[in-house]
Amino acid sequence: MIITITGKPCSGKGTVSKIFCQKYNFQYMCTGDMFRQFAKEYGFDNILDFQHDERVKIIDNLVDNRTIEIGKTRLDENIVLDSRLAWHFIPNSFKVFIDIDWETAGKRLISANRDSEKVSSLDEAITALKNRWHTENDRYQELYSTDNLNSKNYDFIIDSANLTPEEIAEKIYENYKKFIKSR
C-alpha cells in the first residue's frame, strides 16, 4: 500500500519518510525531488525564486502526472510518497499530514542549509516558507480545487515540533496498521 505524507515546508516530511522506509521496509519516493530536478532542467537554481513564474505550471504537470502513474501502477507496493499532493492523486493511499509552527520551520530551513532554498535570517526564512506554502496552496486550489489545510483530507495528522523523526515514524506506523485493519 502507498502511504502519502504531506505537510508544511520543513515539517520533517522527508526525514520522517526516509526513517519510516528504512525501519518498516518501504520504498521512498519524493515529488519534491522530482520538482527540484525538473526546476533545475528549466534553469532554476533556487525554488523559492520562481513561485509566480508561469513555467512552474509545466513542472507541476510533469510531477503530477508521474504521481498519478505511480498511484495507478504501484498501489500494491509498499511505498512512502513524500509529496504535497499525492494524497489527492492517490485517494486509496494512507494519507498523513505533518504540521509544524512557522518559527520552528524557519529554524529548520536555516539549519538545513539547502542550496535550492537560501535564506539569511529567521525572519526571511519564515516569510519565504509562508509565501511558498500559500502560493503552492493557492495554485493547488486553482488547478485541482484542493485545500492542503483541510484536515478531512487526511487519515492521520501529527505535529512535528516537539517529537523526534523516529517518534513520528513510529506513530505513523501505528496509525497505518489501524488504517489497514479498518479496511
Side-chain angles (χ1 to χ4, degrees):
M1 165 162 256
I2 296 176
I3 298 174
T4 54
I5 298 181
T6 192
K8 290 181 183 171
C10 295
S11 61
K13 297 175 307 298
T15 301
V16 168
S17 296
K18 290 173 187 172
I19 288 169
F20 183 97
C21 288
Q22 289 174 349
K23 187 169 183 178
Y24 301 109
N25 199 28
F26 277 65
Q27 180 183 351
Y28 174 74
M29 298 178 140
C30 176
T31 58
D33 291 344
M34 293 178 211
F35 192 92
R36 286 179 186 90
Q37 182 58 41
F38 286 129
K40 191 173 185 179
E41 290 172 16
Y42 278 80
F44 296 105
D45 293 324
N46 186 339
I47 63 170
L48 297 174
D49 290 342
F50 75 101
Q51 294 299 310
H52 298 287
D53 191 292
E54 284 300 310
R55 291 172 288 180
V56 77
K57 291 179 182 177
I58 296 167
I59 297 168
D60 277 340
N61 222 4
L62 292 167
V63 172
D64 296 346
N65 287 336
R66 188 171 289 171
T67 304
I68 291 166
E69 185 64 24
I70 291 166
K72 287 180 179 177
T73 61
R74 301 181 71 182
L75 196 56
D76 60 342
E77 296 179 41
N78 287 336
I79 297 171
V80 168
L81 192 49
D82 168 3
S83 170
R84 291 271 192 268
L85 281 179
W87 63 267
H88 173 71
F89 293 122
I90 309 174
N92 293 327
S93 63
F94 176 63
K95 298 171 279 302
V96 176
F97 185 90
I98 302 178
D99 203 359
I100 192 167
D101 64 273
W102 291 116
E103 184 173 341
T104 304
K107 289 176 183 176
R108 287 183 182 177
L109 178 59
I110 291 168
S111 296
N113 199 25
R114 296 178 184 159
D115 288 338
S116 63
E117 297 171 281
K118 291 288 184 192
V119 292
S120 57
S121 70
L122 180 58
D123 286 341
E124 183 182 346
I126 292 169
T127 299
L129 289 170
K130 282 182 178 179
N131 287 343
R132 177 177 162 197
W133 175 253
H134 292 295
T135 299
E136 288 175 351
N137 202 41
D138 289 348
R139 196 167 70 240
Y140 303 150
Q141 285 179 334
E142 178 184 325
L143 291 170
Y144 306 111
S145 300
T146 64
D147 183 2
N148 278 356
L149 295 175
N150 184 343
S151 62
K152 293 179 182 177
N153 292 326
Y154 310 106
D155 300 303
F156 180 62
I157 299 171
I158 188 165
D159 190 314
S160 69
N162 297 309
L163 296 171
T164 67
E166 292 81 6
E167 291 169 327
I168 297 167
E170 187 174 315
K171 290 183 183 299
I172 290 171
Y173 187 69
E174 290 168 3
N175 283 274
Y176 166 73
K177 288 190 304 186
K178 291 176 188 174
F179 177 80
I180 295 296
K181 284 182 182 179
S182 70
R183 292 188 79 160

